[in-house]
């Protein structure tokens, strides 16, 4: 049995045995590593924040601290309204290089107008501000947007807090496809089944998921519209239908089918029409991933004798080998800017997340665990979500693209697998 097929079956067996359930449980996040240098920022209470059933600034602080790029300066319980410039010299004296001031104004319709301004205490200048409308129940969503604003102003990169993640969990015979905020909160069940669910993949619009379900006693690819719960079968051919991944235009999917023999790459429309075979190989081709510009499809294959990563033009043509270091590299995932490639490599018998700079071909191993799988970039390319194991059970973990920031996400007494980070949609 060839290496890639053996590994695929092992991964599938592990997935089916150790996915987890989290119907009403939240993912808890533990920061296991932080950046060497963190930006000191103060996020005091907003004016009138106490009128809300649940706060805003505590969520903003948690988002920024979890990123590993910021250290939070305690300002006590004193609120700083958005209507006045704070004592920037005083805030600076407490060690903060930036401070966020904000106010909440109740509206006649029961909503709140949330106004906030960010200040640079060193330059004694305002960096910008926004006004957002929210209901009391939207406190977390609003806080994530505020944290994204602060993150972008202070790092120059878009934030990723107002995004969602998908993952699969299992308890006993029950499998659930879960959707949660990027911080693990507000977990909701999109699909529950007594049969396995694997390979969730977000559409670029953030409103649909493609995934593989075994409810028909075989792997079948579905597209699921989250707002309505409507599901459509898009690939149910003879044999196995697996590994869906979206084209950047959101109109097509690459999938892996065995209808003509071994696992091979195909492209079809999001409604299941227009099936087209991408290549012919004597080996196994699997785990496709589109480049952000839509020009290439990267994939795993053992066509050269060992499991390696290749790419093929999205219009068809000859495949090009991408990885050459080591004898096992699989599960390619492109960064949003198309400059980096995350994948799983075997390093001294351990399966770990690695990232390659596609311009220089320099590869860096980012994790120190031994059973990593399913890497998925955050929309800004800063973090990579992946599945691993801890204490004999499946957990999700995240690592920054430079390897400095590390997080572990878990559900108490449950296994979690198959992560996918959704796009930034506003």
């Amino acid at each position: 049995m060839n290496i890639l097929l053996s590994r695929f079956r092992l991964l599938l067996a592990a997935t089916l045995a150790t996915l987890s359930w989290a119907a009403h449980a939240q993912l808890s996040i533990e920061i296991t590593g932080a950046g060497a240098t963190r930006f000191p920022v103060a996020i005091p209470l907003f004016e009138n924040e106490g009128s809300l059933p649940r706060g805003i600034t505590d969520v903003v602080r948690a988002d920024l601290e979890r990123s590993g790029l910021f250290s939070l300066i305690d300002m006590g319980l004193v609120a700083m309204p958005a209507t006045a410039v704070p004592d920037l010299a005083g805030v600076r004296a407490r060690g903060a290089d930036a401070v966020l001031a904000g106010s909440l104004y109740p509206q006649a319709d029961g909503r709140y107008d949330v106004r906030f301004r960010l200040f640079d205490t060193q330059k004694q200048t305002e960096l910008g501000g926004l006004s957002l409308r929210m209901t009391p129940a939207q406190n977390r969503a609003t806080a994530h947007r505020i944290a994204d604003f602060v993150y972008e102003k202070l790092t120059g990169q878009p934030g990723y807090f107002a995004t969602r993640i998908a993952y699969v969990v299992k308890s006993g015979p029950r499998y659930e496809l879960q959707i949660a905020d990027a911080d693990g909160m507000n977990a909701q069940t999109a699909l529950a089944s007594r049969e396995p669910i694997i390979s969730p993949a977000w559409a670029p619009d953030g409103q649909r998921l493609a995934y593989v379900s075994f409810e028909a006693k075989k792997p079948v690819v579905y597209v699921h519209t989250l707002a309505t719960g409507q599901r459509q079968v898009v690939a149910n051919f003879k044999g196995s239908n697996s590994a869906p991944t979206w084209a950047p235009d959101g109109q097509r999917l690459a999938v892996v089918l065995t209808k003509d023999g071994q696992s091979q790459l195909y492209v079809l429309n999001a409604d299941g029409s227009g099936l087209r075979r991408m290549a012919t190989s004597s080996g196994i081709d699997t785990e496709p991933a589109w480049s952000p510009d839509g020009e290439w499809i990267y994939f795993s294959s053992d066509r050269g004798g060992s499991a390696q990563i290749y790419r093929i033009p999205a219009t068809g043509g000859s495949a090009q080998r991408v990885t050459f270091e080591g004898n096992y590299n699989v599960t390619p995932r492109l960064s949003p800017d198309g400059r980096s490639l995350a994948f799983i490599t075997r390093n001294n018998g351990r399966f770990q997340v690695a990232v390659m700079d596609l311009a220089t071909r320099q590869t860096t191993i980012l994790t120190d665990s031994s059973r990593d799988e399913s890497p998925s970039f955050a929309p800004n390319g800063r973090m990579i979500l992946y599945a691993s194991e801890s204490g004999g059970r499946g957990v999700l973990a995240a690592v920054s693209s430079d390897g400095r920031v590390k997080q572990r996400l878990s559900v108490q007494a449950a296994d979690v697998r198959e992560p996918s980070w959704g796009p930034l949609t506003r």
Side-chain angles (χ1 to χ4, degrees), residues 254 264-267 276-280 290 297 312-317:
Q264 299 287 282
L265 302 182
Y266 295 78
V267 170
R276 174 169 59 93
R277 185 167 179 169
M278 291 301 301
T280 300
W290 294 78
I297 297 176
I312 189 171
T315 54

Side-chain angles (χ1 to χ4, degrees), residues 130-195:
L130 283 177
S131 176
L132 302 173
R133 286 288 178 97
M134 57 163 270
T135 66
Q138 294 173 321
N139 69 304
R140 297 193 67 87
T142 301
H144 293 323
R145 291 187 63 187
I146 296 171
D148 281 342
F149 177 88
V150 174
Y151 185 101
E152 183 166 4
K153 289 296 182 181
L154 297 182
T155 70
Q157 291 184 316
Y160 56 86
F161 307 115
T163 60
R164 295 187 291 176
I165 59 175
Y167 50 92
V168 180
V169 293
K170 179 183 181 291
S171 179
R174 183 180 175 89
Y175 296 81
E176 295 192 7
L177 174 62
Q178 294 277 322
I179 309 297
D181 294 345
D183 63 354
M185 300 299 289
N186 293 331
Q188 302 291 328
T189 300
L191 177 68
S193 176
R194 296 182 68 86
E195 301 296 334

Side-chain angles (χ1 to χ4, degrees), residues 25 42 61 63 77 79 85 136 142 177 190 208 236 248 259 263 281 290 294 322 332 366 383 388 408:
R61 286 191 288 268
D63 281 347
L77 299 178
V85 177
T142 301
L177 174 62
R208 296 169 292 164
N236 184 16
K259 72 183 192 68
S263 296
S281 169
W290 294 78
V322 176
L366 302 179
M383 300 294 292
S388 192
R408 185 167 59 212

